[in-house]
Amino acid sequence: MELLHAGQASDRRKRKIRLFSGLFIGLLVVFTLLSNTFMALTIPKVAVVVPSRGQLVHTFKGSGVIKWRAETALTNSTGWKVKKVEAKEGDRVKKGQTLVTYDSKDAEQDILDQQAGLIKLKLTMEELQSHFIEASQNGEEKSIEDAKRAMEIHKIDLEVQQRKIQNLQEKLKKNVKLTAPFNGIVTKVNAKEGLSSESGGYDVRLSDESLGFEFELSVPVDIAAALKAGDKLEVQVDGPAAEKIEGQISEIHEPGIPDKSKTEEGSAGEGGNTAMSLPMKRLLVTLQGTGLKEGAGVRVELNRATDPDIIVVDNKAIHEDKTGKYVFTIEEKNGPLGNAFYIRRTSITVTDSDDKASTVTQGLFEQQQIVVESSEPLQDGDKVRMQ
């Protein structure tokens, strides 16, 4: 009987030990889970993205003002008064067409006076010829030589007078009218009837219609790198008609010092605009068209695309210090209580950027998780929890 009671007591002790052991282990598990839960709440929380392949498209929008490629200032250097203005601003004129007629009375009177002088010289020459004939008949050598010398001197005077009259006539013919040297458009008229040409000024300014128009466009060097003289551009002309015409790059000038007070409008990616202050190249673009007018505004949109098959990363994920650019990637490790996630600093090589994303050629591969947001500052090796 005593042995039976002893066996029953031993069994009860064993059950109690198993019970307490189970409760202890359960409490350990509960506390471990609670500890992990509390720890998880204290570690940084991160948002991640997976980089993909694509391309960046940089869009540049620039503007300019149309002007004539070539203009010539026409004037009358004689100082004659304007008799009649026969052209007005905006007129389309043909080569040789009269623009201004001048009062040439004084010049015409001068020619008449010089012609009268020529007649007198001719009459004197007839008299000298008579003296020469008379001397020849008398046979006086000295008289003959004197008469001959007088005739030669007077002949020179006659030739000088004739040339003087010819020059005056050519000057009159050349300057009595101001004519168009080529087909063009009258862009400015300063001549006024009854007044002389202004000293150092011009009477009419004429554009060369055959050369057309041009405008200047400042373009970032990276956009201009893909352009060359002779390339065609689509140009939007401002105005009610909002006409689109074809322009051609005639010159590309090397960049100067950027003017931060003047920024061109640029955009990248899906079209977000940014003001840029970058080294610029100056493009000279020529235009042809009968409906164009000097002073009209024009707009041009240029695009530059990167390699279409390159890893593109959100700029929010990229960091930089004195060693270069880097991102935080996620390393996953398996554990007895589940998977854990750790931060790894990964150096990258960025080849191009816009205001939203960058292209990366080294350091990353597809499907690699990258941190874009974090609840706390991160360091290499930190344990994190995923959103």
Side-chain angles (χ1 to χ4, degrees):
M1 181 64 72
E2 291 179 359
L3 290 174
L4 178 61
H5 287 300
Q8 290 176 343
S10 176
D11 289 340
R12 284 196 296 272
R13 284 196 300 271
K14 288 180 180 180
R15 284 197 298 270
K16 289 180 179 180
I17 291 172
R18 285 196 296 269
L19 177 61
F20 284 123
S21 296
L23 289 173
F24 179 73
I25 292 172
L27 288 172
L28 285 177
V29 171
V30 170
F31 284 127
T32 300
L33 292 174
L34 288 174
S35 175
N36 287 338
T37 300
F38 287 130
M39 184 179 293
L41 293 175
T42 61
I43 63 177
K45 184 179 181 181
V46 297
V48 298
V49 294
V50 176
S52 60
R53 290 189 175 272
Q55 68 178 165
L56 297 182
V57 178
H58 295 278
T59 299
F60 170 80
K61 296 179 181 179
S63 60
V65 177
I66 292 176
K67 65 178 182 180
W68 288 102
R69 287 196 70 190
E71 283 187 292
T72 301
L74 306 175
T75 189
N76 187 312
S77 60
T78 62
W80 297 346
K81 291 182 179 181
V82 175
K83 184 177 181 180
K84 184 178 181 182
V85 178
E86 302 191 31
K88 60 182 182 296
E89 292 181 16
D91 283 355
R92 178 173 276 104
V93 297
K94 295 184 178 297
K95 182 178 180 179
Q97 183 174 333
T98 300
L99 306 176
V100 181
T101 302
Y102 297 92
D103 186 348
S104 59
K105 289 181 180 179
D106 292 342
E108 293 171 358
Q109 186 60 52
D110 191 17
I111 292 174
L112 292 175
D113 292 343
Q114 298 300 327
Q115 287 175 335
L118 179 61
I119 293 173
K120 290 171 63 177
L121 289 173
K122 288 180 177 180
L123 291 174
T124 302
M125 175 61 79
E126 291 177 0
E127 184 177 347
L128 291 174
Q129 288 173 341
S130 298
H131 291 165
F132 176 76
I133 293 171
E134 183 179 348
S136 297
Q137 290 174 347
N138 294 334
E140 297 178 1
E141 291 297 328
K142 185 176 184 308
S143 298
I144 293 173
E145 288 298 326
D146 290 343
K148 186 176 180 181
R149 187 179 301 108
M151 287 174 59
E152 290 175 352
I153 293 173
H154 202 72
K155 182 180 179 182
I156 294 173
D157 292 339
L158 274 171
E159 291 174 351
V160 169
Q161 187 68 11
Q162 287 172 338
R163 287 196 300 270
K164 187 174 182 180
I165 292 172
Q166 184 178 358
N167 289 337
L168 290 173
Q169 289 173 333
E170 291 176 356
K171 181 180 178 181
L172 174 63
K173 182 179 179 181
K174 180 181 178 181
N175 293 288
V176 70
K177 293 181 179 180
L178 184 66
T179 59
F182 45 75
N183 295 344
I185 305 292
V186 177
T187 58
K188 183 69 175 178
V189 177
N190 283 338
K192 293 180 176 58
E193 293 182 7
L195 299 179
S196 302
S197 301
E198 295 183 7
S199 177
Y202 61 89
D203 290 339
V204 176
R205 184 177 287 275
L206 185 66
S207 68
D208 191 336
E209 190 175 20
S210 64
L211 298 179
F213 297 85
E214 67 181 11
F215 67 92
E216 289 186 0
L217 183 68
S218 292
V219 177
V221 292
D222 60 334
I223 298 286
L227 302 173
K228 63 182 183 300
D231 284 353
K232 308 291 185 180
L233 300 178
E234 186 179 80
V235 179
Q236 176 75 53
V237 181
D238 294 339
E243 180 184 10
K244 285 187 177 181
I245 63 173
E246 184 179 77
Q248 183 174 21
I249 299 173
S250 61
E251 298 177 21
I252 300 178
H253 297 276
E254 290 305 311
I257 300 174
D259 184 352
K260 294 185 179 181
S261 66
K262 297 180 180 180
T263 58
E264 296 289 347
E265 183 181 329
S267 65
E270 297 182 1
N273 292 337
T274 60
M276 301 188 296
S277 179
L278 300 171
M280 311 288 274
K281 283 192 175 183
R282 185 169 60 86
L283 273 58
L284 200 61
V285 183
T286 60
L287 300 170
Q288 293 283 353
T290 55
L292 298 175
K293 292 184 178 181
E294 185 176 33
V298 290
R299 289 176 284 117
V300 174
E301 182 175 304
L302 301 173
N303 296 313
R304 179 180 67 82
T306 62
D307 186 334
D309 187 25
I310 195 169
I311 291 179
V312 179
V313 176
D314 193 313
N315 284 340
K316 292 188 293 185
I318 299 175
H319 310 276
E320 185 174 11
D321 59 18
K322 61 182 180 180
T323 64
K325 294 185 177 182
Y326 63 93
V327 295
F328 289 123
T329 57
I330 299 295
E331 181 180 356
E332 185 175 355
K333 294 182 180 180
N334 296 325
L337 299 178
N339 295 342
F341 303 97
Y342 295 89
I343 290 295
R344 289 291 176 260
R345 172 182 164 136
T346 303
S347 297
I348 60 174
T349 299
V350 174
T351 56
D352 202 352
S353 297
D354 60 32
D355 59 336
K356 294 182 179 179
S358 297
T359 55
V360 176
T361 55
Q362 293 182 7
L364 293 178
F365 54 86
E366 292 180 78
Q367 307 307 317
Q368 190 171 13
Q369 291 182 317
I370 301 173
V371 176
V372 290
E373 293 181 5
S374 174
S375 61
E376 298 179 21
L378 300 176
Q379 291 185 348
D380 189 33
D382 284 351
K383 186 176 181 180
V384 296
R385 57 194 174 103
M386 311 279 279
Q387 284 188 357

